[in-house]
Amino acid sequence: MTKVTAQLSVSVDGFYAGPQFDGNGNWMDSAESAKFFRVTRWATEAAAWRERQGFAGGEQDTDSEVIAESFGAAGAYVMGRRMADGGEIPWGEEPPFRAPVFVVTHRPRQRLLRAGGTSFTYVTDGVASAVEQARAVAGGKDVAVAGGGSLVRQVLKAGLLDELELHVVPVVLGTGLRLFDADLDLGDREGVELTPTRVLATPQVTHIRYAVRGRAPLVLDDRGSGGGPTVTAN
């Protein structure tokens, strides 16, 4: 059954990149770039990621297996316009997706066809439409929300996300672009409940996969005053 999934590399304090680049100068020299590359280092050193980018070498390890698994599971992708525009030149004529990509945008653009099975369709009528179009062509495989963080929040907020995998890197960044932010519009007594389904720890990163259970009210516990079993000392 097709699932809508998302994954993102984050610091221990929840940032996936540094403060957003203001457009002045070179993005590669920005604080956004520096912190982004720190939390994604585990991936760029992995053999499976490097193979998909057309690079040689890399580590054949658990981290590489996680990346290979995610590529293999995806039958279509949903992506934000900023990520699509930023990757268009570096990805070249044969991007790493090898599947249809649906780009959420306010600016129309003609569909792009690339080698290796990748295409980019620009969707102007919202994230739900992009997810539905991706689901229709995924062939029973997953619809992978490729990012960035703002798009992942939109999909989560809309109740469309089935699975979330966080790659938690052992670094504290302090500032930057935070994955979970106030624009989820959660009430003061409301949360999004998750159920951990897999945890894999490596020296560089901890991979935590969650099933998304959805919005739920926050209920105060009774701190043992509700008449339940108690333990008495002998």
Side-chain angles (χ1 to χ4, degrees), residues 75-81 84 97 99-105 111-112 118-138 143-147 151 155:
Y77 293 84
V78 175
M79 183 181 297
R81 182 66 183 260
F97 306 102
V101 179
F102 295 85
V103 181
V104 180
T105 181
R111 184 170 180 246
L112 299 179
T118 300
S119 61
F120 294 91
T121 299
Y122 293 80
V123 180
T124 57
D125 55 346
V127 66
S129 175
V131 169
E132 189 58 34
Q133 291 182 58
R135 191 190 295 273
V137 300
V143 171
V145 181
L151 181 65
V155 177

Side-chain angles (χ1 to χ4, degrees), residues 17-33 82 177:
Q20 185 164 325
F21 178 53
D22 63 7
N24 294 316
N26 185 346
W27 180 81
M28 292 292 289
D29 296 327
S30 69
E32 180 182 346
S33 167
R82 187 168 183 251
L177 297 174

Side-chain angles (χ1 to χ4, degrees), residues 45-62:
E45 292 177 350
W49 184 90
R50 298 182 67 81
E51 184 275 328
R52 277 287 182 133
Q53 309 298 322
F55 303 145
E59 299 294 327
Q60 295 280 5
D61 55 14
T62 298

Side-chain angles (χ1 to χ4, degrees), residues 1-220:
M1 185 179 68
T2 297
K3 295 180 296 184
V4 179
T5 68
Q7 58 176 310
L8 215 63
S9 297
V10 295
S11 63
V12 169
D13 51 344
F15 297 101
Y16 64 90
Q20 185 164 325
F21 178 53
D22 63 7
N24 294 316
N26 185 346
W27 180 81
M28 292 292 289
D29 296 327
S30 69
E32 180 182 346
S33 167
K35 295 188 178 187
F36 170 78
F37 284 117
R38 173 61 189 93
V39 296
T40 58
R41 182 191 305 162
W42 71 271
T44 58
E45 292 177 350
W49 184 90
R50 298 182 67 81
E51 184 275 328
R52 277 287 182 133
Q53 309 298 322
F55 303 145
E59 299 294 327
Q60 295 280 5
D61 55 14
T62 298
D63 295 334
S64 184
E65 291 171 3
V66 168
I67 292 172
E69 179 186 53
S70 66
F71 277 130
Y77 293 84
V78 175
M79 183 181 297
R81 182 66 183 260
R82 187 168 183 251
M83 180 176 176
D85 286 352
E88 184 173 345
I89 292 175
W91 291 329
E93 289 300 311
E94 189 169 352
F97 306 102
R98 302 179 188 175
V101 179
F102 295 85
V103 181
V104 180
T105 181
H106 297 295
R107 294 175 284 128
R109 185 177 179 183
Q110 191 172 23
R111 184 170 180 246
L112 299 179
L113 298 177
R114 293 290 184 255
T118 300
S119 61
F120 294 91
T121 299
Y122 293 80
V123 180
T124 57
D125 55 346
V127 66
S129 175
V131 169
E132 189 58 34
Q133 291 182 58
R135 191 190 295 273
V137 300
K141 300 176 80 173
D142 292 346
V143 171
V145 181
S150 175
L151 181 65
V152 172
R153 289 196 300 275
Q154 289 180 53
V155 177
L156 182 63
K157 179 180 175 181
L160 299 172
L161 193 64
D162 299 308
E163 182 178 282
L164 173 67
E165 187 157 15
L166 298 181
H167 310 291
V168 183
V169 177
V171 63
V172 175
L173 296 181
T175 60
L177 297 174
R178 191 187 293 276
L179 174 56
F180 298 120
D181 218 329
D183 59 5
L184 285 173
D185 291 340
L186 292 170
D188 290 341
R189 296 177 179 269
E190 183 182 36
V192 176
E193 296 286 350
L194 311 171
T195 299
T197 60
R198 186 177 77 174
V199 179
L200 299 173
T202 75
Q204 293 202 77
V205 58
T206 300
H207 311 279
I208 310 176
R209 179 177 294 172
Y210 298 97
V212 180
R213 292 166 48 196
R215 292 174 180 248
L218 303 177
V219 180
L220 294 177

